[in-house]
Amino acid sequence: MNSCAVGLLEEFQDLVFAYGVSDEYSFIMKKDSQLYQRQASDIVTAVVSLFTSLYVTKWRDFFPHKELKYPPSFDGRAVCYPSSEILTDYLAWRQVDCHINNQYNTCFWELVKSGKSKIEAQNILKGTQTPEKNELLKQFGISDYNTLPVMFRQGSSVFWDKEDITPEHENGTCNGTYRKKVVVEHCNIIEPDFWNSHPSILNLKP
């Protein structure tokens, strides 16, 4: 999924950021983008169809010994947010949801692995809050939720960044040569630090 998102940003230069969790990805376009004359249906069709194609073509890169047994399909919709603040609030909500779902799913599958049925696991978790789930995780040897893989706790952020390609001189100096590259990071996008460090993504004023 992350590799497909990288491919989309590389293909459509008007896509400046993407955030993904599990099988759901959000793609952010430039505010002044004129891609497909801003026709929502055309944009969604192009993004979803390319993402699906990339998923199929990249499958063997990740699962060389596992056959893709059923053709994948994805759906999508276009939403126009009125401001950068509301957009970042939406992305923050997505990351909060990522935390909630990951904690629940971790507890759920630990219960199933311990011998509980899926129905029993659901009933045990029904109505539980974060502290109760943390206590449950401790019973399965996970003393600190923050030790779980960061990709599952924070999701994946995909964006253009600078890569230093300057060859270092013998005296240790360099002239600062960079190129743009799409990167995947698992970072906190709820707090403003990320956006302040990358103001060009949403064309924010420093």
Side-chain angles (χ1 to χ4, degrees), residues 109-197:
W109 289 112
E110 288 294 334
L111 286 166
V112 171
K113 285 193 295 184
S114 72
K116 302 293 184 183
S117 70
K118 293 181 180 179
I119 296 297
E120 288 174 329
Q122 288 174 345
N123 289 334
I124 291 172
L125 293 173
K126 187 176 181 180
T128 57
Q129 301 299 317
T130 296
E132 296 163 292
K133 291 186 180 72
N134 282 333
E135 287 301 315
L136 185 60
L137 289 175
K138 289 178 182 179
Q139 296 177 26
F140 294 110
I142 304 173
S143 58
D144 185 358
Y145 171 78
N146 291 321
T147 61
L148 295 175
V150 66
M151 181 174 73
F152 303 127
R153 289 187 287 110
Q154 296 192 328
S156 301
S157 296
V158 184
F159 55 95
W160 286 94
D161 204 359
K162 290 181 179 180
E163 179 185 36
D164 190 350
I165 58 171
T166 306
E168 187 172 313
H169 301 308
E170 291 183 1
N171 62 3
T173 63
C174 58
N175 59 8
T177 303
Y178 299 91
R179 68 180 175 189
K180 291 184 68 178
K181 178 184 179 182
V182 179
V183 298
V184 179
E185 292 189 2
H186 314 297
C187 51
N188 185 338
I189 60 171
I190 297 174
E191 303 298 330
D193 292 356
F194 173 82
W195 304 107
N196 292 337
S197 299

Side-chain angles (χ1 to χ4, degrees), residues 31 66 99 131 150 176:
K31 189 175 183 178
K66 194 171 185 177
H99 283 287
V150 66

Side-chain angles (χ1 to χ4, degrees), residues 6-18:
V6 170
L8 273 177
L9 264 69
E10 291 175 340
E11 178 68 22
F12 296 118
Q13 299 292 306
D14 279 14
L15 296 178
V16 294
F17 184 81

